[in-house]
Amino acid sequence: MTGLFAALTVALGVLESFIALPVPGVRIGLSNVGIMLCLYLIDFPAAMYVAVTKAILVPLLTGNLIVKMSIALPSTLAATVVMGLSFFLMRRFTTPLSIGALGAVAHICTQFFVVKNLYIKADAIYNLLPYFCFFSVLTGVLTGYITRVIINNIREDERCISCFRK
Amino acid sequence: MPKLFARILCCFLIVTLYGCKESYKTEQFYAMGTFVSVTVPEKNSDIIVNTRSRITSLEAAVKEDTEKFNKNPRYKPRLAISELISRGKAYELITDGRFSIYSATVSKLYGFPEGAYRVPDQSEIDTALDNISRGTNVSLDLGAYAKGWIVDEAIAEIKASGVKTAMVNAGGDLYALGKRPDRDWRIAIQDPKNNRDYISIVNLENMAVATSGDYERFFKAQDGRTIFHIFDATTGQNPEYYHSVSVIASTAEEADGLSTAFFLINPAEVRAKCKKLKTPVLLYTVNGSIMKLCGWEKFEKK
Amino acid sequence: MRKSKFDILIIAALTAASVFFMLNVSSGEKRLYLIDKDTKTEVKLEDRDIILDNGHVVIQVTTEGARFLESDCPNRICIKQGWVKNCGDTAVCVPKHLAIVMECKEQDYDAISQ
């Protein structure tokens, strides 16, 4: 089951590298849908597994391997950890909307942190962080919404839920 | 609702802080061969007109009397100017004659202040030096400290009209009267190598600072040397110790005069003299090192 | 799922934080800097092109600001970021570890002695 989600996540990750948004550098983060689904329907370790697979395979498939992977791996992991934490702590109060937003913000913040420490060693790049942070909230809510719709649809079918929990 | 309140409060704070910052009025004009700026509190801005006319009339007086003296050595300058001339003696003593109110006798051979610039023959220089030492056939030029004196006079005028805080800055020779509302006046000393950077910032209250530099007025000689406007009246050559010398003193005239005088003597001599005169000095030497003497650091602390 | 109140709170907080930092721009005297990995050099604002990485990257500088004109990095994000003109503007090219940034510093003195 986890493998299926991993495949879905990687596919979404590759797909979205072809989707250009009008704002430079911003991507929707569709693959996060796969990770969040995992978190909600299976468990945290499975989500981590999917995250690592995604962070390694997507750069492999879209090129510019080392730079992308060195940024994607830590940030995807950080996003997953943040989402996992908020899932466990606030599941009762929240929906995938806010968890997606938190994950996206964690993702972008870690990206900037990595770039600052590995590539461009100047505080100046943090100037851009608020803009990306703002858009990441939007995209995070969007992916969260998609996740919510999917989960709601799946939950309507009791048999489906039971098959995930095996 | 509290959010809105906080926002309004924030706006209000910004406006008042901005207001504080802008409560001074500065007017800039050209005089004494440089840009002069007069800064007074906004509410006293009407005195700028008087200050400006005072500065231009003093400048005219200095110019007229030096010109008349240079045409006719027996000319008796008006009292204020003859007093000013006599104060040049102090700087001559400090520098063992390397400073001279007659050093224009040499510098005009090079074409200063207006050009055309050239390097004179040694024989011309020797004749000029001879004339300076004998006081015959000389050119008087009070440029080394007249600017500072005019700043002091302008400040005296501002003070007399009851204003407690102001600044008069004549091309970097300035006097800071009183304090800003929240702090002392902060003056940056320009980096001789980069006119957008500074090498020190000093806090002044009722103090003057002046800087002399080799980057202000200069020309490139045909042999590649850079020749600037300060000359040793005993050799007829540029002194070669510093790129810039800044002096803090209780009057702008002293700061102005000493910054030129110290330019002509070596750092050890400067150290001894500024100790006696109790005037903090900042030296930027030709090899690029910065020396802070006679308590300069104390003025840097906030 | 009637948990949307808490959701809105979190999303609003994140948005507010990013908007706050977005509006938190500095002002003062502008200085343009070119950052290459860990070296930061000031760039004079004058009309010229800076050619880097053996011609693979071209930065156009004018009296107003600068921008990435050409770059062979995959997504050309740095080019799309456009002009770096105002205080705090930044353009970054991560694959080439290059960035141009307009930094502004408020004058912290009242006059200059020169």
Side-chain angles (χ1 to χ4, degrees):
Chain A
M1 210 54 239
T2 315
L4 191 65
F5 276 116
L8 171 72
T9 308
V10 172
L12 285 172
V14 175
L15 174 73
E16 80 167 342
S17 66
F18 298 109
I19 303 175
L21 287 186
V23 191
V26 175
R27 266 176 291 149
I28 307 174
L30 277 180
S31 54
N32 208 23
V33 171
I35 298 174
M36 269 197 283
L37 282 175
C38 242
L39 200 59
Y40 269 85
L41 301 175
I42 309 176
D43 55 8
F44 180 68
M48 284 301 270
Y49 171 78
V50 171
V52 173
T53 314
K54 180 247 162 185
I56 293 174
L57 283 182
V58 173
L60 212 60
L61 293 168
T62 57
N64 209 354
L65 185 65
I66 297 163
V67 174
K68 266 195 187 162
M69 208 188 287
S70 63
I71 297 170
L73 196 57
S75 45
T76 311
L77 287 184
T80 311
V81 169
V82 167
M83 286 193 294
L85 270 176
S86 45
F87 177 69
F88 287 119
L89 294 174
M90 308 186 293
R91 176 171 27 174
R92 294 218 226 127
F93 323 110
T94 59
T95 70
L97 254 68
S98 57
I99 292 190
L102 281 169
V105 170
H107 191 104
I108 197 73
C109 289
T110 319
Q111 276 189 340
F112 269 83
F113 183 75
V114 172
V115 168
K116 155 77 169 46
N117 285 288
L118 283 183
Y119 296 102
I120 303 168
K121 292 175 179 150
D123 294 329
I125 64 153
Y126 286 131
N127 290 345
L128 289 172
L129 184 53
Y131 293 91
F132 281 92
C133 208
F134 179 76
F135 287 111
S136 76
V137 175
L138 296 185
T139 60
V141 169
L142 179 68
T143 54
Y145 180 74
I146 295 170
T147 312
R148 192 168 81 170
V149 169
I150 294 173
I151 290 172
N152 284 351
N153 282 321
I154 288 174
R155 285 213 174 132
E156 278 166 15
D157 191 336
E158 272 306 314
R159 282 168 304 165
C160 196
I161 285 289
S162 60
C163 76
F164 285 120
R165 292 292 179 200
K166 241 166 225 170
Chain B
M1 216 40 205
K3 214 176 187 178
L4 186 71
F5 179 71
R7 224 178 267 171
I8 292 170
L9 192 75
C10 204
C11 288
F12 185 72
L13 249 171
I14 288 168
V15 168
T16 39
L17 281 177
Y18 194 73
C20 276
K21 235 182 188 167
E22 297 297 294
S23 71
Y24 281 84
K25 185 172 161 73
T26 300
E27 198 174 292
Q28 210 177 49
F29 50 91
Y30 194 80
M32 304 182 270
T34 183
F35 280 104
V36 178
S37 65
V38 178
T39 305
V40 295
E42 189 87 66
K43 59 180 192 288
N44 305 108
S45 55
D46 49 319
I47 61 168
I48 292 180
V49 185
N50 295 335
T51 314
R52 181 176 176 168
S53 66
R54 176 91 178 130
I55 288 170
T56 43
S57 73
L58 287 171
E59 182 195 3
V62 171
K63 198 173 165 211
E64 189 191 325
D65 279 12
T66 41
E67 269 170 11
K68 280 187 178 159
F69 178 87
N70 283 336
K71 277 201 194 104
N72 170 20
R74 271 177 299 246
Y75 172 76
K76 281 270 167 282
R78 66 200 84 181
L79 185 64
I81 305 296
S82 60
E83 273 178 17
L84 186 66
I85 294 170
S86 65
R87 276 203 288 273
K89 279 279 172 293
Y91 305 120
E92 288 176 13
L93 282 173
I94 287 167
T95 58
D96 283 328
R98 283 185 276 255
F99 178 97
S100 169
I101 50 173
Y102 302 129
S103 62
T105 319
V106 173
S107 66
K108 75 173 183 194
L109 297 177
Y110 288 86
F112 289 101
E114 262 124 26
Y117 299 110
R118 66 186 189 102
V119 179
D121 294 336
Q122 191 56 44
S123 61
E124 288 179 87
I125 295 173
D126 288 340
T127 317
L129 296 179
D130 222 42
N131 283 333
I132 292 173
S133 62
R134 276 185 282 139
T136 54
N137 214 357
V138 286
S139 295
L140 176 71
D141 184 4
L142 303 174
Y145 58 97
K147 214 159 61 172
W149 173 69
I150 293 173
V151 169
D152 289 334
E153 293 293 311
I155 285 286
E157 169 127 341
I158 291 171
K159 234 160 125 180
S161 59
V163 177
K164 299 269 187 303
T165 163
M167 182 166 63
V168 176
N169 179 359
D173 299 347
L174 60 92
Y175 189 94
L177 178 68
K179 273 174 173 287
R180 304 274 299 197
D182 47 339
R183 55 174 174 81
D184 289 346
W185 293 93
R186 286 172 63 72
I187 316 299
I189 309 297
Q190 193 192 301
D191 182 345
K193 294 281 161 212
N194 177 355
N195 62 14
R196 287 172 7 110
D197 267 326
Y198 41 84
I199 50 177
S200 171
I201 293 185
V202 289
N203 302 285
L204 300 182
E205 180 192 356
N206 295 327
M207 279 291 195
V209 65
T211 301
S212 290
D214 64 357
Y215 51 86
E216 288 173 281
R217 267 170 286 154
F218 62 86
F219 70 93
K220 276 246 185 292
Q222 271 171 343
D223 58 4
R225 278 188 304 156
T226 302
I227 293 177
F228 58 95
H229 67 295
I230 300 171
F231 290 92
D232 185 324
T234 60
T235 65
Q237 307 291 330
N238 280 152
E240 43 198 28
Y241 303 114
Y242 317 106
H243 285 308
S244 88
V245 174
S246 302
V247 180
I248 296 174
S250 54
T251 67
E253 185 233 299
E254 192 180 14
D256 196 8
L258 287 179
S259 70
T260 308
F262 289 160
F263 215 101
L264 295 156
I265 57 181
N266 68 43
E269 287 176 282
V270 172
R271 191 188 292 274
K273 302 292 182 191
C274 71
K275 218 169 174 178
K276 217 186 261 170
L277 296 160
K278 297 190 177 63
T279 53
V281 179
L282 178 78
L283 303 174
Y284 189 105
T285 64
V286 280
N287 55 35
S289 65
I290 291 173
M291 297 171 76
K292 294 168 182 174
L293 304 177
C294 302
W296 182 276
E297 296 97 327
K298 271 184 255 159
F299 286 87
E300 286 184 326
K301 294 209 180 80
K302 269 194 183 175
Chain C
M1 282 197 178
R2 303 226 17 93
K3 306 168 184 171
S4 47
K5 254 189 188 161
F6 209 78
D7 264 354
I8 291 170
L9 198 70
I10 290 178
I11 293 165
L14 290 175
T15 315
S18 40
V19 169
F20 173 78
F21 284 108
M22 247 191 264
L23 297 177
N24 190 14
V25 284
S26 54
S27 59
E29 194 198 0
K30 287 181 186 174
R31 287 183 190 204
L32 183 72
Y33 290 95
L34 172 67
I35 298 156
D36 185 352
K37 210 166 168 86
D38 44 10
T39 55
K40 184 174 172 183
T41 41
E42 191 182 343
V43 178
K44 227 179 172 181
L45 286 169
E46 58 192 9
D47 291 315
R48 68 186 176 116
D49 288 347
I50 300 174
I51 295 159
L52 296 160
D53 194 25
N54 296 321
H56 291 300
V57 177
V58 178
I59 297 172
Q60 182 191 4
V61 185
T62 70
T63 50
E64 295 273 297
R67 64 169 170 173
F68 282 94
L69 196 64
E70 281 169 39
S71 166
D72 62 351
C73 54
N75 297 329
R76 293 188 165 68
I77 291 171
C78 51
I79 298 171
K80 291 181 202 146
Q81 281 169 330
W83 285 100
V84 172
K85 268 185 178 169
N86 300 315
C87 292
D89 281 0
T90 310
V92 179
C93 179
V94 177
K96 306 276 179 195
H97 37 76
L98 289 170
I100 42 181
V101 53
M102 188 69 88
E103 285 187 3
C104 298
K105 224 174 104 186
E106 204 70 67
Q107 251 192 2
D108 58 346
Y109 49 82
D110 305 306
I112 304 171
S113 182
Q114 81 268 41

